[in-house]
Amino acid sequence: MSYPSMVNIKVPRRPIIAYRQIQPPDLAVLEKIHGELFPIRYESEFFHNVVNGRDIVSWGAVDQSRPDEESDELIGFVTVRIVPAKESEIEDLLSFDSSRTDQTLVYILTLGVVDSYRNLGIASSLINEVLKYASSLSSCRAVYLHVISYNNPAIHLYKKMSFQCVRRLYNFYYINGQHYDSYLFVYYVNGGRSPCSPLELVTLFLTYARSGLKSMAARLWKNDERKISKWPKYKESGCLLPTVQTKRMITIHQ
């Protein structure tokens, strides 16, 4: 079965949105939506893992007010993975009993809503499903994710939902020959919290902001000398802590 473009679906006047787990019959639509919404290509194995629940937990949004044959077709999704807290990149951002080996985190892999259904609160509802799920896991201490630095709508959404923007990761993404920064967002659950007090966070930020500005200035000067300054515009946030971060290498296949 072939599916038309999912991005510009005609939305019923009063959509009835429901949420459920993603299942094997959703495979083709899930892959199509990812391809239309994201500037990167995901491997086939990823989608098969999602629909079969192999190490990935997912929720889909459907519009039950659409015609019968389309009423259970995905119009939004979120996928997550559970990771051990000690093996995560945000271990230093958590205050927990290091003697316990069972503590976990929930990492949001992908989140998307087709264009026609945006601004209806669907993304927020999908995130809330993730937060409820994470809170139901007694071992879970936080939900976290990365957002590419130019994705202002996503940044606004996560801040609105009380996620804490804790780090800016320079050159985290490499897409089609271009470097992009990433913001790291965290939402603490089940008693999870930052190991720093608010005052310590401000002190750390001021300390690292100075060194960060110096580093950025040096880099920009170097790029100017080589005449290859192509950095995207961004806004700094006062809630960030620097870190040494492995770059995420992504290639777009068009």
Side-chain angles (χ1 to χ4, degrees):
M1 179 177 181
S2 62
Y3 296 88
S5 173
M6 302 296 297
V7 173
N8 296 312
I9 298 173
K10 185 177 181 180
V11 181
R13 187 172 182 179
R14 294 183 179 178
I16 301 174
I17 308 301
Y19 302 90
R20 61 169 175 77
Q21 288 190 323
I22 296 177
Q23 304 164 352
D26 298 315
L27 179 63
V29 172
L30 181 69
E31 189 166 359
K32 187 172 184 62
I33 299 176
H34 274 74
E36 293 183 349
L37 294 184
F38 300 138
I40 62 176
R41 177 181 175 181
Y42 289 85
E43 297 296 332
S44 176
E45 181 182 6
F46 167 76
F47 298 107
H48 283 276
N49 288 342
V50 172
V51 300
N52 291 294
R54 292 197 292 260
D55 297 323
I56 296 177
V57 183
S58 62
W59 293 263
V62 299
D63 181 1
Q64 296 181 333
S65 59
R66 295 177 68 194
D68 289 343
E69 67 274 12
E70 301 173 353
S71 62
D72 199 45
E73 190 174 277
L74 294 181
I75 50 90
F77 59 85
V78 63
T79 65
V80 307
R81 175 178 283 125
I82 300 174
V83 298
K86 284 190 173 183
E87 297 177 11
S88 76
E89 62 197 279
I90 67 165
E91 180 185 5
D92 61 318
L93 295 174
L94 292 169
S95 178
F96 60 89
D97 184 358
S98 59
S99 65
R100 293 184 56 183
T101 60
D102 62 334
Q103 296 182 87
T104 60
L105 305 170
V106 169
Y107 179 66
I108 297 180
L109 298 165
T110 63
L111 168 70
V113 177
V114 300
D115 288 353
S116 302
Y117 282 87
R118 291 184 179 177
N119 301 315
L120 296 177
I122 296 174
S124 298
S125 295
L126 287 167
I127 294 170
N128 278 326
E129 292 293 334
V130 175
L131 298 181
K132 286 189 294 183
Y133 172 72
S135 298
S136 73
L137 302 175
S138 60
S139 64
C140 185
R141 293 296 173 265
V143 177
Y144 75 107
L145 65 136
H146 297 92
V147 179
I148 200 164
S149 58
Y150 61 70
N151 192 345
N152 292 322
I155 292 170
H156 174 76
L157 173 63
Y158 287 113
K159 287 183 176 180
K160 181 180 178 181
M161 298 193 69
S162 299
F163 279 73
Q164 298 180 35
C165 184
V166 293
R167 280 180 176 154
R168 183 179 189 123
L169 308 172
Y170 293 99
N171 299 339
F172 183 74
Y173 292 104
Y174 186 69
I175 304 176
N176 250 18
Q178 175 69 55
H179 289 93
Y180 297 94
D181 298 344
S182 168
Y183 290 116
L184 177 62
F185 282 86
V186 179
Y187 186 104
Y188 296 101
V189 298
N190 297 331
R193 60 183 177 84
S194 168
C196 301
S197 68
L199 179 59
E200 289 172 322
L201 285 173
V202 172
T203 302
L204 279 171
F205 170 74
L206 292 175
T207 300
Y208 286 111
R210 296 190 186 97
S211 61
L213 287 173
K214 290 179 181 178
S215 175
M216 177 60 74
R219 205 161 47 212
L220 289 174
W221 175 263
K222 185 176 182 180
N223 285 345
D224 183 63
E225 287 182 327
R226 296 181 180 180
K227 298 181 180 180
I228 58 170
S229 180
K230 298 180 181 179
W231 297 100
K233 295 181 180 179
Y234 60 85
K235 295 182 179 180
E236 289 289 356
S237 172
C239 59
L240 309 182
L241 296 177
T243 185
V244 176
Q245 175 64 41
T246 303
K247 297 178 184 177
R248 180 160 297 185
M249 310 299 285
I250 301 175
T251 303
I252 300 177
H253 297 268
Q254 297 182 349

